[in-house]
């Protein structure tokens, strides 16, 4: 089998802060094949954005430090690349869509200028050609009358339209990999659905691999075939969508699934996972989830369970997986 497009191996990322050292991502490993969709879910603060930003090397250093690991993209380790090389990769080979489109767009440039820049910088297009391509890509993301709208500024667009523009910028140069970090969280549910459909449509058409990050398991399931569940900086479970939903192995995944409101369970109270996420500056010994786990035994308090992600079956980092 061909090597994956992206392979993250044993990544550990920490922040050196005044209060101490915070380990945001620990021993994280996963892979994404060409054209594949991988979903990453987990509650707030579990390290999803740090993972995404690490891939694109966008974390400020200091305070951030990559302690160990490799991020192999097309057989080369991104962690060994210089900033100039990364600039050629970002937007051209790997793109990212952020949660809040307003903060990612430049308010003082028109939408058209911002998209055209991708074509000029990465593909060396002339001004005229870049403008023609901009119109084309705005059409592709279903922005009505792109010719007129490309000379407007971001504040003249609605949230959903701005996110379409972000998708246009991200996909302009037809990257191999798109990392979407909660791209629909700031939007209304109806618009959210439209944006998810658009992402799925374009990803399929352009054969782009997608890493889709969300705290919402339902949203991830809509788009992704394989899902990784993160807890306190590490994956606790990883596997194909069907198995994960029907036979979850990790108590945390089971808890997350029970917390999803479903029509056939409308008379049952939603189950909450007891306790709250551990302090990443002072994580518990052993399994980081053990203080919240109803299955926790002595071994969980002492030995951290490991997950072998390079397998096609569902895997969980739990001493009692599936029991
Ligand atoms: N630039 C930074 N400086 C210091 N700490 C940071 C920085 N960025 C992230 N962190 C810390 O790293 C941990 C993981 O943060 P991250 O943003 O990856 O969480 P997340 O899973 O994306 O959460 P959310 O769902 O809220 O977006 C958190 O404890 C956060 O406070
Ligand atoms: Mg985040």
């Amino acid at each position: 089998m061909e090597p994956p497009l992206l392979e993250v191996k044993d990544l550990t990322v920490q922040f050196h802060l005044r209060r101490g050292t915070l380990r945001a991502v620990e021993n994280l490993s996963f892979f994404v094949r060409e054209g594949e969709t991988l979903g990453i879910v987990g509650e707030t603060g579990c390290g999803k954005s740090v993972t995404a930003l690490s891939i694109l090397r966008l974390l400020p250093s200091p305070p951030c430090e990559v302690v160990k690991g490799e991020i192999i993209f097309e057989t080369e380790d991104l962690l060994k690349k210089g900033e100039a090389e990364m600039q050629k990769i970002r937007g051209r080979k790997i793109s990212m869509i952020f949660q809040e489109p307003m903060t990612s767009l430049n308010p003082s440039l028109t939408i058209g200028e911002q998209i055209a820049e991708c074509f000029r910088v990465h593909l060396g297009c002339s001004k005229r050609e870049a403008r023609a391509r901009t119109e084309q890509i705005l059409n592709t993301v279903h922005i009505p009358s792109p010719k007129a709208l490309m000379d407007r500024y971001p504040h003249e667009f609605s949230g959903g339209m701005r996110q379409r523009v972000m998708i246009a910028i991200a996909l302009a140069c037809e990257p191999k990999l798109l990392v979407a970090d909660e791209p629909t969280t700031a939007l209304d549910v109806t618009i959210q659905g439209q944006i998810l459909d658009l992402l799925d449509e374009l990803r399929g058409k352009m054969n782009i691999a997608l890493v889709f990050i969300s705290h919402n398991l339902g949203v991830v399931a809509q788009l992704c075939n394989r899902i990784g569940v993160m807890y306190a900086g590490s994956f606790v479970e990883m596997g194909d969508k069907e198995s994960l939903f029907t036979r979850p192995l990790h108590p945390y995944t089971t808890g997350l699934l029970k917390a999803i409101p479903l029509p056939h369970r409308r008379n049952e109270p939603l189950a909450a996972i007891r306790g709250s996420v551990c302090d990443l500056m002072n994580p518990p010994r052993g399994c980081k989830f053990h203080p919240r786990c109803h299955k926790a035994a002595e071994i969980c308090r002492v030995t951290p369970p490991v997950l072998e992600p390079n397998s096609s079956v569902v895997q969980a980092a739990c001493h009692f997986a599936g029991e």
Side-chain angles (χ1 to χ4, degrees):
M1 209 183 230
E2 273 195 28
L5 178 69
L6 175 80
E7 189 166 13
V8 174
K9 292 184 192 171
D10 227 13
L11 183 71
T12 297
V13 180
Q14 58 191 25
F15 290 97
H16 297 285
L17 307 173
R18 207 172 299 160
R19 293 192 292 129
T21 300
L22 182 150
R23 195 156 267 201
V25 165
E26 190 163 23
N27 300 334
L28 195 79
S29 298
F30 65 96
F31 64 88
V32 189
R33 294 197 186 285
E34 224 163 272
E36 186 195 27
T37 52
L38 172 75
I40 298 183
V41 274
E43 58 199 298
T44 181
C46 73
K48 304 184 296 294
S49 295
V50 170
T51 304
L53 295 169
S54 302
I55 297 172
L56 283 117
R57 300 267 314 277
L58 286 172
L59 286 166
S61 167
C64 174
E65 181 203 0
V66 175
V67 183
K68 62 171 178 153
E70 287 171 284
I71 301 179
I72 312 289
F73 178 74
E74 290 186 325
T75 70
E76 289 182 66
D77 189 354
L78 296 182
L79 293 176
K80 297 209 170 92
K81 296 214 174 281
E83 179 53 25
E85 280 178 289
M86 279 312 295
Q87 278 179 12
K88 284 190 200 144
I89 293 174
R90 281 186 215 121
R92 177 74 187 90
K93 292 198 158 187
I94 309 179
S95 279
M96 182 157 174
I97 307 178
F98 299 88
Q99 181 166 346
E100 204 355 282
M102 198 55 196
T103 51
S104 322
L105 287 168
N106 186 334
S108 61
L109 292 175
T110 65
I111 294 294
E113 284 168 327
Q114 298 187 52
I115 301 174
E117 193 184 309
C118 312
F119 295 118
R120 291 169 61 85
V121 170
H122 289 298
L123 306 183
C125 292
S126 68
K127 225 172 173 174
R128 205 179 154 154
E129 197 186 342
R131 203 174 152 84
R133 283 196 176 211
T134 299
E135 191 182 334
Q136 217 172 32
I137 190 94
L138 283 173
N139 231 334
T140 310
V141 296
H142 309 313
I143 294 237
S145 31
K147 211 170 197 147
L149 289 183
M150 64 201 259
D151 295 321
R152 302 250 185 107
Y153 290 87
H155 72 267
E156 298 177 86
F157 282 58
S158 67
M161 293 271 268
R162 269 184 231 134
Q163 203 54 297
R164 284 176 194 271
V165 171
M166 289 308 301
I167 294 176
I169 293 176
L171 300 187
C173 298
E174 304 199 4
K176 289 244 162 153
L177 174 70
L178 174 64
V179 181
D181 187 4
E182 311 239 15
T184 59
T185 309
L187 304 172
D188 295 340
V189 183
T190 46
I191 309 291
Q192 186 171 318
Q194 292 171 12
I195 296 289
L196 292 179
D197 288 345
L198 176 69
L199 264 180
D200 200 33
E201 173 199 326
L202 299 181
R203 188 203 58 74
K205 265 191 202 155
M206 299 180 178
N207 192 34
I208 295 170
L210 174 68
V211 174
F212 188 91
I213 296 174
S214 175
H215 59 269
N216 187 329
L217 197 51
V219 168
V220 165
Q222 220 174 309
L223 233 62
C224 306
N225 305 324
R226 214 151 48 80
I227 297 176
V229 179
M230 262 183 107
Y231 184 78
S234 311
F235 279 119
V236 292
E237 180 154 2
M238 167 83 71
D240 68 281
K241 175 169 68 184
E242 276 71 28
S243 317
L244 197 117
F245 270 78
T246 50
R247 289 182 304 280
L249 297 177
H250 198 284
Y252 180 62
T253 316
T254 315
L256 283 185
L257 288 170
K258 282 194 183 142
I260 299 178
L262 291 172
H264 71 271
R265 292 204 306 235
R266 67 179 176 277
N267 294 327
E268 300 167 26
L270 282 179
I273 301 172
R274 65 180 181 177
S276 53
V277 188
C278 65
D279 176 6
L280 293 174
M281 238 173 228
N282 271 310
R285 271 185 71 202
C287 171
K288 286 186 204 154
F289 186 63
H290 89 254
R292 301 175 75 181
C293 184
H294 61 279
K295 288 186 182 168
E298 193 47 33
I299 183 172
C300 311
R301 286 181 260 277
V302 182
T303 316
V306 285
L307 181 132
E308 294 291 341
N310 295 335
S311 146
S312 52
V313 293
V314 179
Q315 293 278 334
C318 175
H319 296 298
F320 301 100
E323 285 176 21

